[in-house]
Amino acid sequence: MSLLSIPVATLGTPRIGPRRELKLALESYWAGKSNETQLLETAAALRVANWARQKSLGATVVPSNDFSLYDHVLDTSVMVGAIPEIYGWSAGPVSLETYFAMARGAQRDDHNANCAHAEQGAAAQEMTKWFDTNHHYMVPEFHEHQIFMLSSRKPIEEYKEAKSLGHQTRPVLVGPVTFLKLGKSADPAFDPLLLLDSLLPVYVDVLRELALSGADWVQLDEPCLVLDLDDATRDALRRTYAHLAKQVPDLKIVLVTYFGTIGEDLETALRLPVAGLHIDLVRAPEQLNAIVAAARQDLVISLGVVDGRNVWRSNLPAVLDRLEPAIAKLGSDRVQIAPSCSLPHIPIDLELETDLDPNVKKWLAFSVQKIGELSTLGRVLALGREDAADVLADWEGAAVARETSPNAHNAKVAKRMAAIDESSGRRRSAFARRAEVQRARFGLPTFPTTTIGSFPQTAEVRNARAAHARGTMSDAQYEQFLMEETARAVRWQEDIGLDVLVHGEFERNDMVQYFGEQLSGFAFAKHGWVQSYGSRYVRPPILFGDVSRRKPMTLRWWGHAQSLTKKPLKAILTGPVTILNWSFVRDDIPRSEACRQIALAIRDEVIDLEKSGAMMIQIDEAALREGLPLRKSQWKTYLGWAVDSFRICSSGVADETQIHTHMCYSEFNDIIDAIAALDADVISIETSRSKMQLLDAFKSYKYPNEIGPGVYDIHSPRVPDAAEMKNLIALARHHLSDAQLWVNPDCGLKTRRWEEVCPALINMVAAARELRAAS
């Protein structure tokens, strides 16, 4: 009997809800406005809608346990009982209080002696980026004597929930080897992979329960397979899947890889005793032929052919041209088609975008449309192209129109790009000379205090922005509101004694979107939200064409704020690499070319700020490391053009103008040469959760420039006291000279409340002053 469609899998879908329902529910719960039951009801409703939506779009292999209240790695830590002692858990079911304490921290509570975290409060777990994406996860914490136990039955419960609704799903779990490799130990010499034999029994328990509940397949995500693996990791993979196959023989496992090529570890992957293997053919199309040739006859191959990380519409005829020969060799009964990776990295539904430029919209596909593309591909692959000729012609026509569109190509930008030379990225003098001139100009004290840029985007700020967008607040009224918010922020910073001020960024909706909206070549989706972490969602710009600056973007707001104070006030810009890495980037030119176009636009802004009197200009490169290729062999090329782009935008100023930059969630040891090559006068970095361990790289490298290691974790609602921040500064002094050190929070403060920010920054200033007095 012929198939009506090749099986279509989705691997995982956005969990946030079309109208950000999860965000609203989480923030309501955290604020005490709703209870646990209400939060869990909202979560259940989102899962029900997700399953129904996928089925209606033609997906035949629908996942469960791809939903999370915060992140899927944290869910795994909770599932296996990898919960640090500080959170007060010893055994049994893990409460939401403990779960969110791990994610967000827990403030000391002097009025609730029964709270597990009341005595001293608890900092959140360290957070970092999920591979090379803008999604974050809470880093698992392990120790040599770690005991694992099944402490959450979430995968089983959500499988049963779907089954009760008539959906036979494929549960999704983070694979045990990837889970251990994503974790860390307080002892840097301890390898978490040594815990594998202790961890596997918990996975066996979960898989057995799933099988007993009726699951026939389970999806184990092992994206570690696209990294540079050592022999210990290869051995761990072999032992893991041999053990699971032996202990749970009736449950079929599909091993899922994504974000790159399996490369030299293909033989290892193909020899694992699993029933299926998923490969990313968007990031690594070159691996298809080798896998088709070498896969054993009973192995189901899941072909990731639709881009799960970008928003461009597929050229289905071109995809078919690649797939048809492969499927002819494999046999249609051995093939599934899927996105390259799970779909939380893209927005939910393009049809919600009624205001998007139709010339751009016709080039796009969001999660719903991507599943639709897969459904069409599945039918055509099973039944042939003849009945779908009109549909396929439409797809091919859209691809051709995009390639030739004048909206995407600008001759003036091309001419300016051709004029870039070595001098475009070189400061006039070396750092030692610049530092001498700048210290004489600014006269700052030891341990100068500042913030990263943004202040709380309160309900009043958000409401005013929304009212202005609706037209119920006039341009003049909105501008006056923002001027007053800025003035209050400047006065308050002066009152508490900060040494270098910022204007607060109240006019900005997002650090990338704000600039993208003022640059040519970008489009924005009103409902194009994706999750960054927890309830922090972003709307990445859609970079569809050549980039240039239309007019000055920040001068007016910086100038207003600087006019209110005699202290130096940093002008804050977002750097070209971060704008690129936090956007949906066009795929018709090299990323390096797009980045240099952005760099030229930011350079224009930097030069105009200096002409207007700005003495300190901060160019944030929060996402520099995020863009690193997963294979180290490709790092040099990426870092070359990334550093070049930063220097292009920052090098057009005089020696006395101080260039700052800021970076998030970065391990610096292996890219310290590139950090130094940026040649920023001051770099601020997130270090509070790592207890200054990230500074080891700067010490061993003998980094000469100035550094502001974060002493206040802004991703947690906790308010650290002055002693805690003083201790962190003391740790930093073991790595750096006093002349190098600045004192600042980890990151911008827009997501925090003034009730948290005010005491925290007052404590930060006090800590710096105490250290000055003692020096």
Side-chain angles (χ1 to χ4, degrees):
M1 183 176 67
S2 63
L3 292 172
L4 295 178
S5 173
I6 296 289
V8 171
T10 62
L11 306 183
T13 57
R15 57 185 69 127
I16 64 178
R19 305 286 181 179
R20 294 184 291 163
E21 290 89 344
L22 182 58
K23 174 185 176 69
L24 299 176
L26 284 168
E27 293 180 352
S28 175
Y29 173 75
W30 292 335
K33 297 177 182 178
S34 59
N35 58 34
E36 180 174 325
T37 298
Q38 291 168 306
L39 172 61
L40 296 180
E41 286 175 348
T42 298
L46 289 170
R47 289 193 295 271
V48 170
N50 280 350
W51 291 321
R53 184 184 303 115
Q54 292 171 79
K55 294 292 284 187
S56 70
L57 291 168
T60 56
V61 184
V62 174
S64 59
N65 197 46
D66 57 325
F67 181 87
S68 176
L69 288 173
Y70 209 88
D71 87 71
H72 59 308
V73 180
L74 176 60
D75 290 351
T76 308
S77 294
V78 169
M79 180 186 80
V80 303
I83 301 173
E85 185 178 347
I86 192 173
Y87 300 109
W89 177 88
S90 57
V94 179
S95 67
L96 273 186
E97 178 192 25
T98 298
Y99 178 88
F100 286 129
M102 294 170 71
R104 308 177 70 239
Q107 184 67 41
R108 175 175 175 159
D109 187 350
D110 296 321
H111 305 290
N112 185 1
N114 295 320
C115 175
H117 326 295
E119 261 184 51
Q120 58 185 19
Q125 289 191 296
E126 184 178 338
M127 181 165 61
T128 194
K129 299 295 177 75
W130 174 248
F131 290 79
D132 59 349
T133 75
N134 189 31
H135 185 75
H136 303 71
Y137 69 92
M138 311 310 299
V139 178
E141 297 178 21
F142 305 122
H143 56 83
E144 184 177 358
H145 304 292
Q146 184 81 45
I147 297 174
F148 296 109
M149 64 184 74
L150 182 57
S151 53
S152 167
R153 301 180 71 254
K154 176 179 178 290
I156 300 107
E157 292 166 353
E158 292 188 7
Y159 170 78
K160 289 181 175 179
E161 180 184 7
K163 189 175 181 181
S164 72
L165 297 169
H167 304 300
Q168 175 64 348
T169 59
R170 187 171 72 185
V172 181
L173 298 172
V174 177
V177 179
T178 293
F179 175 65
L180 290 174
K181 288 188 71 67
L182 291 176
K184 63 179 292 186
S185 171
D187 178 2
F190 179 70
D191 183 357
L193 279 180
L194 295 173
L195 299 171
L196 182 63
D197 290 340
S198 300
L199 176 64
L200 286 179
V202 181
Y203 272 81
V204 169
D205 288 345
V206 173
L207 297 183
R208 282 176 173 167
E209 278 210 56
L210 286 169
L212 288 171
S213 300
D216 48 5
W217 282 83
V218 66
Q219 173 181 322
L220 292 185
D221 287 2
E222 292 283 13
C224 71
L225 269 162
V226 306
L227 304 177
D228 296 315
L229 300 186
D230 55 20
D231 288 340
T233 304
R234 295 185 186 99
D235 181 64
L237 286 161
R238 287 189 285 264
R239 290 194 294 119
T240 292
Y241 288 93
H243 183 77
L244 296 181
K246 180 178 179 181
Q247 296 297 319
V248 198
D250 297 329
L251 187 61
K252 296 177 182 178
I253 294 173
V254 59
L255 187 74
V256 172
T257 69
Y258 39 74
F259 302 154
T261 180
I262 301 174
E264 64 270 19
D265 291 302
L266 178 59
E267 183 179 354
T268 298
L270 290 175
R271 288 188 175 185
L272 296 176
V274 294
L277 175 67
H278 173 81
I279 56 173
D280 183 341
L281 294 178
V282 174
R283 282 288 187 92
E286 70 279 1
Q287 62 185 332
L288 176 60
N289 291 339
I291 288 171
V292 169
R296 66 178 194 267
Q297 291 300 308
D298 63 340
L299 185 67
V300 172
I301 305 297
S302 172
L303 303 174
V305 294
V306 167
D307 196 341
R309 287 186 54 177
N310 213 335
V311 295
W312 304 107
R313 189 178 180 182
S314 301
N315 183 347
L316 294 192
V319 175
L320 288 168
D321 289 342
R322 292 170 50 215
L323 289 188
E324 286 169 337
I327 293 174
K329 293 179 181 179
L330 289 169
S332 58
D333 58 333
R334 292 179 56 204
V335 171
Q336 296 178 0
I337 57 172
S340 57
C341 61
S342 59
L343 297 169
H345 308 287
I346 58 176
I348 294 178
D349 189 1
L350 184 63
E351 290 308 307
L352 296 174
E353 305 301 334
T354 56
D355 298 328
L356 195 60
D357 181 347
N359 292 315
V360 175
K361 185 176 179 179
K362 65 186 178 184
W363 300 339
L364 305 178
F366 292 174
S367 175
V368 164
Q369 288 71 39
K370 301 276 187 181
I371 299 172
E373 289 180 352
L374 288 166
S375 180
T376 299
L377 280 171
R379 290 193 303 272
V380 174
L381 286 167
L383 302 176
R385 300 194 189 200
E386 293 77 13
D387 292 338
D390 291 344
V391 173
L392 296 178
D394 178 59
W395 253 283
E396 189 169 31
V400 171
R402 183 178 164 221
E403 289 175 4
T404 58
S405 172
N407 293 326
H409 306 286
N410 184 319
K412 291 182 180 179
V413 173
K415 181 178 180 180
R416 195 172 180 199
M417 287 281 290
I420 293 175
D421 60 22
E422 185 180 349
S423 66
S424 303
R426 189 171 59 238
R427 293 289 296 270
R428 298 176 189 177
S429 302
F431 171 73
R433 171 58 184 158
R434 301 197 310 266
E436 182 182 337
V437 173
Q438 291 165 13
R439 285 168 186 158
R441 182 182 195 186
F442 298 124
L444 295 172
T446 309
F447 311 122
T449 54
T450 188
T451 64
I452 304 304
S454 62
F455 279 130
Q457 296 259 327
T458 62
E460 291 78 14
V461 172
R462 295 194 303 271
N463 291 340
R465 183 179 299 129
H468 180 248
R470 290 193 304 268
T472 56
M473 177 181 278
S474 69
D475 291 348
Q477 290 171 322
Y478 184 52
E479 182 162 323
Q480 183 62 31
F481 170 83
L482 293 174
M483 292 286 187
E484 291 171 359
E485 287 291 309
T486 301
R488 276 194 289 271
V490 170
R491 287 195 299 270
W492 181 78
Q493 292 172 83
E494 286 192 316
D495 289 345
I496 69 168
L498 284 167
D499 299 304
V500 174
L501 314 187
V502 297
H503 81 285
E505 303 180 19
F506 301 106
E507 79 285 1
R508 302 185 189 182
N509 42 20
D510 175 84
M511 66 180 290
V512 173
Q513 182 178 348
Y514 177 78
F515 291 94
E517 287 176 340
Q518 301 182 77
L519 296 170
S520 65
F522 286 91
F524 291 86
K526 184 177 181 180
H527 302 282
W529 297 100
V530 294
Q531 185 184 41
S532 180
Y533 63 87
S535 69
R536 168 71 170 146
Y537 302 168
V538 294
R539 284 187 297 180
I542 299 168
L543 173 51
F544 68 87
D546 289 345
V547 177
S548 62
R549 188 185 70 149
R550 300 188 188 100
K551 61 181 181 180
M553 301 178 286
T554 64
L555 267 62
R556 187 160 56 97
W557 296 108
W558 172 83
H560 166 64
Q562 184 65 81
S563 72
L564 302 173
T565 180
K566 294 182 179 179
K567 288 189 172 185
L569 189 140
K570 291 187 291 185
I572 311 294
L573 306 174
T574 302
V577 183
T578 296
I579 291 176
L580 183 88
N581 285 336
W582 286 358
S583 297
F584 292 122
V585 181
R586 60 192 296 191
D587 57 2
D588 59 334
I589 64 171
R591 289 174 68 87
S592 56
E593 184 177 336
C595 198
R596 289 189 178 97
Q597 290 181 5
I598 302 169
L600 289 172
I602 300 300
R603 180 187 177 96
D604 292 342
E605 189 74 7
V606 169
I607 291 172
D608 281 351
L609 280 164
E610 184 186 50
K611 288 178 181 177
S612 298
M615 299 176 284
M616 296 181 179
I617 303 171
Q618 180 172 304
I619 307 169
D620 290 339
E621 285 295 13
L624 178 73
R625 186 184 178 90
E626 183 179 307
L628 274 176
L630 297 177
R631 299 280 181 173
K632 285 193 175 181
S633 61
Q634 301 167 9
W635 283 18
K636 183 177 180 181
T637 298
Y638 165 75
L639 290 171
W641 59 256
V643 168
D644 182 48
S645 296
F646 180 85
R647 293 182 65 132
I648 287 170
C649 74
S650 65
S651 295
V653 296
D655 287 351
E656 58 265 30
T657 298
Q658 191 172 72
I659 296 293
H660 291 235
T661 191
H662 170 70
M663 294 185 182
C664 300
Y665 315 116
S666 292
E667 298 285 347
F668 295 105
N669 292 37
D670 45 10
I671 61 167
I672 189 65
D673 288 337
I675 301 301
L678 294 174
D679 199 27
D681 299 306
V682 183
I683 178 174
S684 58
I685 57 176
E686 278 190 62
T687 53
S688 66
R689 288 193 181 187
S690 76
K691 303 297 187 286
M692 299 292 160
Q693 290 178 7
L694 294 179
L695 293 179
D696 289 345
F698 293 90
K699 180 180 180 180
S700 59
Y701 185 81
K702 297 182 180 179
Y703 184 79
N705 300 27
E706 297 175 21
I707 306 176
V711 298
Y712 163 28
D713 176 14
I714 66 87
H715 300 292
S716 168
R718 287 184 69 247
V719 176
D721 58 27
E724 181 178 331
M725 289 191 265
K726 186 177 174 183
N727 288 339
L728 287 174
I729 301 169
L731 289 173
R733 295 175 79 184
H734 291 304
H735 298 78
L736 303 166
S737 71
D738 289 357
Q740 287 180 283
L741 280 172
W742 287 61
V743 177
N744 45 257
D746 267 339
C747 200
L749 299 164
K750 67 175 289 186
T751 62
R752 299 265 57 91
R753 298 180 301 136
W754 278 111
E755 293 88 343
E756 301 153 4
V757 168
C758 288
L761 291 185
I762 289 169
N763 291 343
M764 188 186 81
V765 171
R769 285 175 172 170
E770 289 174 22
L771 284 168
R772 287 175 201 151
S775 297

